[in-house]
Amino acid sequence: MSWFRKKDEALVADQAAQSTSASTGPGADHVPDAVLDELSAAFAEENQPSYDFDDPSIDRLLGIDDDLPDDELDDDELDDDDVDDDDLDGEFDDAEFDDDEFDDDEFDDDDVDDDALAPTQPAPRPVAAETTSRRTIVIPEAEQPDTVSLDEDQGERFRSPDRTVDASGERSTIVISDLDEGRVVENAPSRGPGGMDPRMRARRIAARRAEGRKRLVWVSIAAGVLLVLVAVVAVVASPLFDVRTVNVQGAVYTDHDVLQQVIDSMKGHAVLLVDTAKMERELEAVPWVESARVTTDFPHTVTIDIRERNPIATFEGGDQQFRVIDAQGRVLDVIAGQPIAYTLITGANPDTARGQFAGAPYAAAAQLVVALPAEIRSITQSVGVDAGTGTLSMQLKATASGGGKTHSVEVRLGNTDTLDEKLARLLQQVREGLDGVTAIDVSTAEVGVVRG
């Protein structure tokens, strides 16, 4: 490849001669100094490109086929005589490049193009086939753009071929830091406040606006639902749906004054706004009421269902007023006369108020009355209670056999323990007959009978 090297040197010498002739001829004072500097820099010895003429890629560029057989590339065909050094010297003889042939008039300043005299860039160095592995290019974290959500249209614009041209018409350049060769910056796009890319900032604003629209939709829906609820409540709370009818069930002994007060408090109010729990508490405060249930029937009806307590016995207090009690000993009512429908309890009885409990002995006496067999209940006159000792007794009305006159039989039961067994012993004695019997003791397992 020495022929190429010699030819290149000859061309350099010829360019130098031409530049010398142009500088000394007529009109030399019209050549700009910048052009001369660029020519000097272009043809300086250290700026001359270097070529590796042994590189196979040059052979491929020149059309020399490496696959040709050795006999086609015979040394005789590439004889030194064909490319003789003398011929090369002769081709570039000073005589052929005479100053007269290159008159200064042909190189007028107007004909000289600055672009043509610009220094040529050296050809890229061919890369051998056995190049080393790729270098790793690292994008610094500080230079990465903000991550934003892109819709489909923005994504298409981002993938389009002209995506590298910004709004100002300038080509944008992505800045990449190479750890091996340093950082290259070229035509960095203009950035807005805070150093953010305008396109990234626009996309972030679009995403925030989309989120704001979603929140506005949900707020609108919630406001609409709230308005509907308010409208419904306003309609049902209007006088169009007030309480006009109250039905009462199960009230026999319930205080009618309290019941009427509850009914009056509901009438005229919206049927759906009636406080049924409050009405139930007021009714259950009545001693006769065990439980109460208040329900509404749209649009104008309220139903009161009352379950009353079951009266069992009665006793006379120190104030000569009779108390009616249930099975738990609770005083349901206080009346002036003796109610004959209930079993009488005798003894030194307290003056218990309505709605209060008389005590455990009276509760046991009421439970005894409930547990009496039918044969004994029919002849029972009263049940005695000793509040001090807590013992129980009974008064039975016995009739002599053959239709004779009646007499009383006192039965001693003792404490309230094992009342069922005691009643069983008493029932057996009643079935055997009470002729001449004045007292029976069933408080122990051995029944004691006294005859008179």
Side-chain angles (χ1 to χ4, degrees), residues 168-389:
S168 63
E170 298 181 357
R171 184 180 180 87
S172 61
T173 302
I174 298 176
V175 180
I176 300 177
S177 176
D178 190 348
L179 296 179
D180 294 336
E181 296 185 17
R183 182 178 179 184
V184 179
V185 179
E186 179 182 351
N187 297 333
S190 60
R191 294 179 177 270
M196 182 184 297
D197 193 309
R199 293 171 297 175
M200 295 296 180
R201 186 172 183 272
R203 290 167 184 165
R204 174 173 291 182
I205 294 174
R208 291 178 178 175
R209 288 178 178 174
E211 295 178 357
R213 287 192 294 269
K214 290 181 181 179
R215 287 194 295 268
L216 180 60
V217 169
W218 284 111
V219 170
S220 301
I221 293 174
V225 173
L226 182 60
L227 290 176
V228 171
L229 292 177
V230 171
V232 171
V233 171
V235 171
V236 299
S238 65
L240 297 175
F241 304 102
D242 59 349
V243 177
R244 300 177 185 177
T245 304
V246 179
N247 298 325
V248 181
Q249 300 175 356
V252 177
Y253 301 103
T254 303
D255 192 338
H256 291 281
D257 294 337
V258 176
L259 182 60
Q260 189 62 41
Q261 182 180 356
V262 171
I263 294 173
D264 293 341
S265 65
M266 290 188 294
K267 283 189 174 181
H269 291 77
V271 66
L272 296 180
L273 300 181
V274 172
D275 191 351
T276 57
K278 179 181 178 182
M279 301 297 104
E280 291 173 355
R281 289 193 298 269
E282 291 181 1
L283 291 172
E284 290 175 355
V286 177
W288 279 97
V289 178
E290 182 178 0
S291 64
R293 183 180 181 186
V294 180
T295 58
T296 58
D297 188 7
F298 190 83
H300 304 292
T301 305
V302 175
T303 301
I304 300 176
D305 189 4
I306 295 176
R307 181 181 178 181
E308 294 184 336
R309 299 180 185 275
N310 187 22
I312 301 298
T314 182
F315 64 89
E316 183 180 10
D319 57 356
Q320 285 78 45
Q321 299 288 322
F322 287 86
R323 275 76 176 170
V324 179
I325 64 173
D326 62 358
Q328 285 75 36
R330 183 176 183 176
V331 177
L332 305 180
D333 201 355
V334 178
I335 58 178
Q338 178 183 355
I340 62 175
Y342 313 121
T343 303
L344 179 64
I345 299 177
T346 60
N349 303 316
D351 297 336
T352 308
R354 182 186 292 110
Q356 302 299 318
F357 290 90
Y362 293 90
Q367 293 173 7
L368 173 62
V369 173
V370 174
L372 288 175
E375 297 180 26
I376 299 176
R377 183 191 297 272
S378 61
I379 62 175
T380 300
Q381 292 180 322
S382 63
V383 175
V385 174
D386 187 349
T389 60

Side-chain angles (χ1 to χ4, degrees), residues 411-423:
V411 179
R412 296 178 181 178
L413 299 173
N415 56 28
T416 58
D417 297 336
T418 64
L419 284 177
D420 293 339
E421 297 179 1
K422 296 174 182 179
L423 290 177

